[in-house]
């Protein structure tokens, strides 16, 4: 995390941490922090900066980022990551690293808030610095609780440092209550934090007022949206349902909060879309900051919290290549490539249609072997710290997301898109088509159609950024969207319906990459709806490589879908409506917190 990780390591040493899962049981360590850390603004900053390390976890984009109409797991069906990605939940295979990390970060900032509020400083510069640190702490706490609630629903909540607690057990708290407190925290944060232009922080790796407004909008949309709920008094399976909160007026207020937060960022004009979509990702991979990426989780160096951005979620690179091995455990849901309209430049950036072989040649992928292109290591300047630690930051918030959230919130608040909503939506869409407004189609003007357009556009713009799974859940359509995706996969395999004219083969020239900062976005090809053996032989004789786009596994020799086709039968195999939209708690999580006993997800 460049500057951040070094400071967080110091905080770990000062706090004397020995267990993530049992962090609440550390009154002596927290007392030490309060007495020693919160004595000067510089030491207080060290504590707050250290909390950032617990705002992100590989699970967020790995297990929880798969299982969508964009992304699928490539691991075997007995692998726990594959199981979670395909909604085969048990109380034994649910990952706990994110859960523990988020609470550890919350404890850090709870202690920071309490410590900073007691500090006495006299200079205006020090007061401004402490206000910024306090604002960061409120924003971190809210973002961490958002991550907990969007995956686990009602969870324990505390805004009190462990040293002040009288009990070390806690029960579930209504997610509506938690969301409302997160929004209050973020509203405090935007009052306390400076704008990015003030220069208080040099990078996008810490909260500014800009980023806090964006996360406020995000949390407000989730708070207003749908989620899987149950009666917290009875935990009856019969009470489980997908619904919004009961207070319709509060829902309306939340959409207004989201819209106003986005408008504040838009009106400030400090952030903007980059002219070319590919530049966003080339900048990210090469540690360059820009006006579009508003908040990033820093990944530079060996102490990067176990993340593997560009390795687990990158493109395939053979271990013998001079780029160093990249072994993606995540791949593109085959139908995603076809969801993009022709001319949408985001497709070939988001999806890598090729991989790098041992001799550095670029070999094209089949429909079911496309990988994630946004984090491709070939665009970097060097391998980085290690092959599985590529020093690629994680994009927490981008300005394009702010524009799409603004459009969505206005549509929900006004029961239809306003002129401002349409303008924000079209700004994102037009950039996707290289600035050519004639290619973006006609923007819908009714509530329902515009809502669907937003759902689609977020898929095109924000693919593989670990939002899709919970976005589908907050729209109340996770089951429906994934069920339809599975049917589309069958039609693609059978080449029927909308896929009846897709290429059966593609011919391309194999070329070799010559070094890092490889400029290639996609391997060019000529597609064929059908290709005879004679034609294929002739193309090979002309120096082309011919690829059959449907893998042998989904289709039998007659081109008919096999009943055991792995992509189709294995994907979303545990999907069950009104059950999997919220994860159960791991048995180990309940075991260490007596307050959670008897409070498991009712369907488990």
């Amino acid at each position: 995390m460049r500057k951040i990780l070094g400071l967080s390591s110091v905080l770990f040493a000062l706090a004397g941490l020995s267990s993530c899962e049992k962090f609440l049981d550390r009154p002596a360590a927290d007392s030490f922090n309060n007495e020693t850390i919160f004595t000067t603004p510089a030491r207080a900053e060290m504590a707050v900066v250290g909390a950032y390390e617990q705002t992100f976890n590989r699970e967020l984009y790995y297990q929880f980022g798969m299982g969508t109409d964009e992304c699928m797991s490539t691991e075997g069906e007995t692998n726990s990551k594959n199981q979670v990605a395909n909604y085969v939940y048990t109380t034994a295979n649910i990952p706990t690293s994110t859960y523990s990390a988020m609470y550890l970060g919350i404890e850090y900032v709870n202690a920071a808030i309490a410590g900073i509020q007691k500090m006495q400083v006299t200079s205006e510069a020090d007061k401004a610095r402490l206000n910024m640190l306090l604002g960061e702490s409120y924003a971190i706490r809210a973002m961490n609780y958002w991550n907990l609630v969007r995956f686990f629903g009602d969870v324990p909540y505390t805004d009190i440092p462990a040293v002040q607690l009288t009990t070390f057990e806690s029960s579930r708290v209504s997610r509506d209550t938690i969301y409302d407190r997160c929004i209050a925290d973020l509203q405090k944060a935007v009052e306390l934090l400076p704008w990015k232009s003030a220069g208080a922080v040099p990078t996008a790796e810490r909260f500014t007022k800009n980023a806090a407004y964006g996360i406020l909008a995000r949390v407000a949309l989730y708070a207003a949206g749908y989620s899987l709920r149950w009666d917290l008094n009875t935990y009856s399976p019969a009470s489980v349902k997908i619904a919004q909160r009961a207070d319709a007026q509060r829902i309306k207020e939340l959409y207004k909060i989201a819209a106003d937060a986005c408008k504040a960022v838009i009106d400030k004009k400090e952030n903007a879309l980059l002219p070319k979509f590919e530049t966003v990702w080339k900048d990210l991979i090469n540690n360059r900051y820009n006006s579009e990426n508003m908040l990033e989780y820093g990944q530079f160096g060996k102490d990067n919290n176990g993340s593997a951005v560009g390795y687990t979620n990158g493109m395939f690179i053979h271990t013998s290549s001079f780029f160093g091995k990249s072994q993606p455990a995540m791949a593109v849901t085959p139908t995603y490539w076809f969801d993009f309209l022709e001319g949408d430049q985001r497709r070939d950036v988001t999806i890598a249609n090729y991989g790098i072989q041992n001799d550095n040649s670029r070999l094209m992928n089949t429909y079911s072997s496309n990988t994630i292109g946004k984090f491709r290591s070939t665009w970097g300047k060097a391998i980085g710290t290690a092959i599985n630690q590529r020093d690629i930051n994680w994009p927490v918030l981008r300005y394009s997301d702010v524009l799409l959230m603004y459009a969505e919130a206005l549509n929900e608040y006004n029961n239809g898109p306003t002129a401002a909503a349409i303008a924000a939506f079209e700004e994102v869409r037009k950039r996707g088509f290289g600035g050519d407004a004639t290619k973006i189609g006609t923007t819908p003007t009714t509530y329902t159609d515009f809502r669907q357009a937003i759902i689609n556009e977020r898929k095109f713009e924000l693919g593989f950024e670990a939002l899709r799974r919970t976005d589908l859940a907050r729209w109340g359509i996770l089951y429906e969207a994934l069920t339809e995706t599975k049917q589309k996969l069958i039609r693609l395999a059978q080449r029927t319906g909308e896929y009846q004219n897709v290429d059966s083969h593609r011919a391309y020239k194999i070329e070799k990459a010559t070094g890092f900062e490889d400029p290639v976005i996609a391997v060019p090809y000529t597609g064929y709806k059908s290709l005879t053996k004679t034609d294929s032989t002739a193309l090979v004789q002309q120096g082309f490589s011919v690829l059959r786009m449907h893998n042998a596994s989904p289709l039998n020799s007659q081109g008919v879908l096999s009943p055991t086709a792995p992509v189709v039968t294995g994907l979303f195999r545990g999907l069950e409506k009104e059950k999997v939209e919220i994860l159960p708690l791991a048995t180990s999580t309940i075991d260490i917190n007596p307050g959670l006993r008897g409070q498991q997800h009712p369907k488990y």
Side-chain angles (χ1 to χ4, degrees), residues 153-190:
D154 313 299
V155 293
Y157 179 91
T158 181
D159 55 8
I160 300 171
V163 70
Q164 298 178 17
L165 295 175
T166 58
T167 179
F168 296 111
E169 63 181 63
S170 51
S171 300
R172 290 187 187 255
V173 173
S174 166
R175 71 199 67 182
D176 297 331
T177 299
I178 297 174
Y179 273 142
D180 287 346
R181 292 184 181 180
C182 289
I183 288 164
D185 275 351
L186 287 161
Q187 288 171 331
K188 294 175 189 174
V190 297

Side-chain angles (χ1 to χ4, degrees), residues 295-306:
L295 186 63
E296 300 177 7
Y297 180 81
Q299 290 288 286
F300 185 85
K302 62 184 180 64
D303 297 320
N304 62 11
N305 201 21

